[in-house]
Amino acid sequence: EVQLLESGGGSVQAGGSLRLSCTASGFPFDESTMGWYRQGPGNECDLVSSIRRDVGTYYDDSVKGRFTISQDNAKNTVYLQMNTLKPEDTAVYFCAAAERGRLAVWQWCGNNFYRWGQGTQVTVSS
């Protein structure tokens, strides 16, 4: 069974830090593109960051220099370290996986093209 289990969301004040974790099972983790989306208005998801072993990393301009994505293949886990958080980072964050190709910079949350986690709330207060 394919699963993406997320943890690490929460509430912090502006300037604080959080680390999201996503542990995967049921598909070839180290051959997949892993990433994090955050949900905007409606059911739209914007790609925050992604990582793939043979390609490297991607970051949205809004998080460059503040967020760092990494993966531990031994644990089948991808992390998103979020520093210097801003109120505009407030959103539900979804872990996603694409077994082939890249993660698109925009997608409908939970679509059938990717594997999705259940989502975790990040709230940043000013």
Side-chain angles (χ1 to χ4, degrees), residues 31-37 47 49-59 96-107 111 113-116:
E31 297 175 9
S32 300
T33 302
M34 302 297 299
W36 293 90
Y37 284 90
L47 184 63
S49 183
S50 66
I51 186 169
R52 186 182 175 96
R53 176 177 52 84
D54 57 347
V55 173
T57 58
Y58 162 85
Y59 295 96
E99 294 184 43
R100 294 182 178 86
R102 301 179 179 182
L103 293 170
V105 295
W106 178 92
Q107 268 293 357
N111 70 68
F113 298 117
Y114 307 144
R115 313 292 188 180
W116 294 85

Side-chain angles (χ1 to χ4, degrees), residues 49-107:
S49 183
S50 66
I51 186 169
R52 186 182 175 96
R53 176 177 52 84
D54 57 347
V55 173
T57 58
Y58 162 85
Y59 295 96
D60 182 79
D61 286 346
S62 65
V63 305
K64 283 181 180 177
R66 300 188 297 122
F67 291 11
T68 303
I69 193 169
S70 61
Q71 66 183 87
D72 185 336
N73 289 336
K75 296 182 178 179
N76 278 12
T77 299
V78 61
Y79 304 97
L80 186 68
Q81 178 66 44
M82 304 186 294
N83 298 329
T84 319
L85 282 160
K86 303 177 181 179
E88 51 263 43
D89 294 320
T90 296
V92 177
Y93 284 70
F94 291 92
C95 177
E99 294 184 43
R100 294 182 178 86
R102 301 179 179 182
L103 293 170
V105 295
W106 178 92
Q107 268 293 357

